[in-house]
Amino acid sequence: MKRIATQHMRRSLLSPRPLRLLSPASPIAPSRRCFALSTRRPQDAPVTPLSATLPDAAADSLPTDLPTAEDTGRISVKAARRDSPKLSALHARLSLPLRFPKESLGRCLVHPSADRNPLHNNASLAVIGQDLLAYYTAEWLLCNYPRLPMEVLFAAQYAYAGPRTLSTMREEWGVESVAAPGIEVDPGLLQYARQKPGNAMADGAMLRLKDMPSANAKLASIRPNSQWNYRRGVSSRIVYDNQFGDLDNNGNSSASASSQGPDAGVTTEEASASFINAVFGALYLHAGAQATQAFHQAHILSRHIPLHTLFSFTHPTRDLSRLCAREGFEPPVARLLSETGRHSRSPVFVVGVYSGSDKLGEAAGSSLDEARVRATAAALRSWYLYSPPRENIVLPSQSATTQWKPQMIDIGEIVT
């Protein structure tokens, strides 16, 4: 039978109900939930067998597969049940529904690097929340801007729900991070093991971490195949990469995690993103899809992202010519609308691009060529940033509560 530290049993129980003391004549065996401990035994604490503290009848009926304190993690979910002012203030500040318990909010603040127990950290909730964030953000962008190129769509998703944005949201919510996790930390703080600097000295060695042989093995395990060493285009980013079009290492996460060890630290940005994703996942499980969509609208889509700044055209004049030919428009023609200071040191030319009698774009520049290129780029941005009328937009996730209307599907961007 495994041995556990009985001196921590009172404060590490997961059940909020008080325990009944067993009398010597009572044949009732303690419940299994009473032994789900989540604290680590001190190094100098004596270990007493549990069977020695119970009557013979109760000790004979104990299960033989009880987890030890080291197996169940270092941080207890029961800590969130305490009257934590920070946790209560955060729950009220976010206007979370009453169906969202504080215990789940406290669990969202525990990163797997701080507690390895999957029942106590936010790993599973973060997976659900990350998928929900990607889905709700992508459907809103595709329904409101159906002509966005894929690269701009990836950039817009990163701007709305990327790790940097989520880290900023964590600061706006007033959530502070701790220097080191532990059972004595307030449940309303973000707990995670901090990543060691890449140029720090290794423990017990006279070498830098980046010069250790294991560090080179970690880097090699991230991209073991040659197919990840180059980009094959947008199709490769859609199939192989994550929702932001970045390299996805989920297929090789087991190898990298095993090389880093269970106590590997993370950055503040990664821990903050995991916390925000976990909040969305827990809200979806406790309150449902409608509450999650309203929370997403209030905290994610309410931000103003200037999408026109995400475009970067290499050959805008050629792209506009291909677009007009594909759509059956007349070939674009650049016309000088106005000018000032042609012979001065700072001239300004205003050029418009026309397709027949329709003006597609207009821009100003210090030269005729610069103004023409800028006007062409403005015409392309106005085409790609087209948005249907708001009353005709019905998101797929809202089809259960709103009458469905078919959304516009564009034939695709211009490929040159």
Side-chain angles (χ1 to χ4, degrees), residues 79-82 84 86-87 105-106 109 185-191:
R81 301 182 187 273
R82 300 197 305 262
S84 173
K86 292 182 179 295
L87 198 61
L105 184 59
L109 289 165
V185 177
D186 190 284
L189 300 177
L190 179 61
Q191 304 189 44

Side-chain angles (χ1 to χ4, degrees), residues 161-332:
R164 295 184 180 179
T165 304
L166 299 184
S167 180
T168 304
M169 287 180 55
R170 191 265 306 172
E171 297 178 357
E172 295 174 353
W173 288 0
V175 179
E176 301 176 353
S177 58
V178 298
I183 59 175
E184 72 282 354
V185 177
D186 190 284
L189 300 177
L190 179 61
Q191 304 189 44
Y192 64 99
R194 296 180 180 271
Q195 187 179 26
K196 296 182 179 180
N199 202 27
M201 297 295 295
D203 296 337
M206 297 300 296
L207 294 176
R208 301 284 185 180
L209 290 178
K210 68 176 184 178
D211 299 330
M212 296 292 290
S214 58
N216 298 328
K218 295 175 188 177
L219 296 177
S221 63
I222 295 179
R223 300 185 180 185
N225 302 326
S226 60
Q227 64 176 355
W228 299 109
N229 295 334
Y230 61 91
R231 288 291 187 188
R232 292 177 293 178
V234 180
S235 300
S236 175
R237 300 179 65 182
I238 297 174
V239 176
Y240 296 106
D241 297 346
N242 58 12
Q243 68 270 22
F244 307 125
D246 297 332
L247 187 65
D248 192 1
N249 300 324
N250 291 336
N252 305 317
S253 59
S254 59
S256 59
S258 61
S259 60
Q260 295 177 0
D263 297 330
V266 295
T267 60
T268 305
E269 182 177 296
E270 183 178 353
S272 302
S274 178
F275 160 63
I276 301 295
N277 291 329
V279 170
F280 276 90
L283 182 62
Y284 180 82
L285 295 177
H286 289 292
Q290 295 184 4
T292 308
Q293 293 173 5
F295 195 78
H296 180 266
Q297 177 68 34
H299 294 274
I300 301 296
L301 299 182
S302 60
R303 299 172 176 272
H304 173 67
I305 305 297
L307 297 180
H308 66 278
T309 60
L310 302 179
F311 289 86
S312 179
F313 300 102
T314 306
H315 303 286
T317 54
R318 185 175 60 182
D319 294 346
L320 184 60
S321 300
R322 296 283 184 89
L323 175 62
C324 293
R326 190 189 71 177
E327 299 297 330
F329 301 152
E330 296 184 14

Side-chain angles (χ1 to χ4, degrees), residues 134-165:
Y135 172 66
Y136 290 149
T137 306
E139 71 168 0
W140 186 85
L141 288 172
L142 290 175
C143 291
N144 286 271
Y145 304 97
R147 293 175 178 173
L148 280 183
M150 285 304 304
E151 295 183 356
V152 179
L153 179 63
F154 287 144
Q157 284 189 269
Y158 189 88
Y160 274 109
R164 295 184 180 179
T165 304

Side-chain angles (χ1 to χ4, degrees), residues 80 87-88 90-92 94-109 122 125-126 129 132 173 274-288 291-292 295:
L87 198 61
S88 301
L90 178 62
H91 193 281
L94 299 181
S95 300
L96 296 175
L98 297 179
R99 290 176 293 177
F100 193 106
K102 296 180 182 178
E103 293 82 1
S104 297
L105 184 59
R107 178 180 174 181
C108 295
L109 289 165
N122 61 8
L125 297 177
L132 290 173
W173 288 0
S274 178
F275 160 63
I276 301 295
N277 291 329
V279 170
F280 276 90
L283 182 62
Y284 180 82
L285 295 177
H286 289 292
T292 308
F295 195 78

Side-chain angles (χ1 to χ4, degrees), residues 338-403:
S338 62
E339 63 174 294
T340 179
R342 177 185 286 265
H343 301 290
S344 65
R345 60 180 299 178
S346 55
V348 177
F349 300 92
V350 180
V351 176
V353 177
Y354 290 81
S355 176
S357 59
D358 299 328
K359 184 170 68 172
L360 304 180
E362 178 182 340
S366 59
S367 63
L368 290 175
D369 290 339
E370 181 182 357
R372 177 176 57 87
V373 171
R374 288 186 175 182
T376 306
L380 289 174
R381 281 194 296 267
S382 63
W383 171 266
Y384 285 128
L385 291 178
Y386 163 78
S387 180
R390 298 295 181 180
E391 59 272 9
N392 296 334
I393 299 177
V394 178
L395 302 180
S397 59
Q398 300 175 351
S399 58
T401 58
T402 308
Q403 185 179 1

